[in-house]
Amino acid sequence: MGIRPESCRRMLLICAALIACVALVLAAGVIPPVKAEAAKGETTEMAVKAFWLNISCNLGAAAVLFLMAWLSKGLNLVGKTVAIIAGLLAMLLGLALTDAAAAYLDHGPDMQIASILLIICAAADILGGLAVVVTAPLCPRPEVVKAAT
């Protein structure tokens, strides 16, 4: 039992775009207030580095999913495994963002906005990763796609 190759590709592209949007929101909406807090001495500079690491991992997972969806007609066992690992990575990154959101809830109003953005980003990461983990095993193999066309 599987899904059509077009649906599989579309779902992987949607998840890649969602995960890439998380990276953009983190860079534009979360890092500036965290840097301002670090300048005041209320938070450490390590938090900014941790967010940049999260952004780079999110962009890496999104790039892998985008390339898999764009270049392949179906997913073999290796492709499904890589997609599932990218989805699990996105879910773990979302959990890390949840922890950061909880840490910044009791700070000032700027950090509360950043905390809300972190909660939204965490939900998007977890949703995107879960969708990849569910979709990847259902994608057809390339041999099946060639035989069907």
Side-chain angles (χ1 to χ4, degrees), residues 51 96-106 111 114-119 122:
F51 284 126
L97 293 177
T98 304
D99 179 51
Y104 288 132
L105 273 176
D106 59 345
M111 292 307 293
S115 182
I116 290 169
L117 287 174
L118 283 168
I119 291 170

Side-chain angles (χ1 to χ4, degrees), residues 4-22:
R4 293 189 331 228
E6 300 84 26
S7 298
C8 178
R9 290 177 68 186
R10 191 173 302 125
M11 191 64 171
L12 290 176
L13 285 172
I14 290 169
C15 292
L18 185 63
I19 293 170
C21 285
V22 167

Side-chain angles (χ1 to χ4, degrees), residues 2 8 13 17 20 22 30 32 46 52 56 61-62 69 84 86 94 97 110 114 123-124 135-137 149:
C8 178
L13 285 172
V22 167
V30 175
M46 288 298 294
W52 281 116
S56 62
I84 290 172
L97 293 177
D110 287 340
T135 302
T149 57

Side-chain angles (χ1 to χ4, degrees), residues 2-20 61-62 64-70 72 75 83 86-87 90 124-140:
I3 57 177
R4 293 189 331 228
E6 300 84 26
S7 298
C8 178
R9 290 177 68 186
R10 191 173 302 125
M11 191 64 171
L12 290 176
L13 285 172
I14 290 169
C15 292
L18 185 63
I19 293 170
V64 166
L65 292 172
F66 178 77
L67 289 174
M68 289 176 64
W70 193 261
S72 70
L75 295 179
D125 252 351
I126 292 170
L127 179 67
L130 184 63
V132 169
V133 168
V134 169
T135 302
L138 299 175
C139 290

Side-chain angles (χ1 to χ4, degrees), residues 25-79:
V25 169
L26 287 175
V30 175
I31 297 255
V34 172
K35 275 188 175 179
E37 286 278 315
K40 293 179 196 173
E42 295 181 18
T43 189
T44 64
E45 188 65 33
M46 288 298 294
V48 176
K49 292 178 184 175
F51 284 126
W52 281 116
L53 178 65
N54 194 304
I55 288 168
S56 62
C57 289
N58 269 319
L59 288 176
V64 166
L65 292 172
F66 178 77
L67 289 174
M68 289 176 64
W70 193 261
L71 298 176
S72 70
K73 299 249 187 252
L75 295 179
N76 57 12
L77 183 61
V78 174

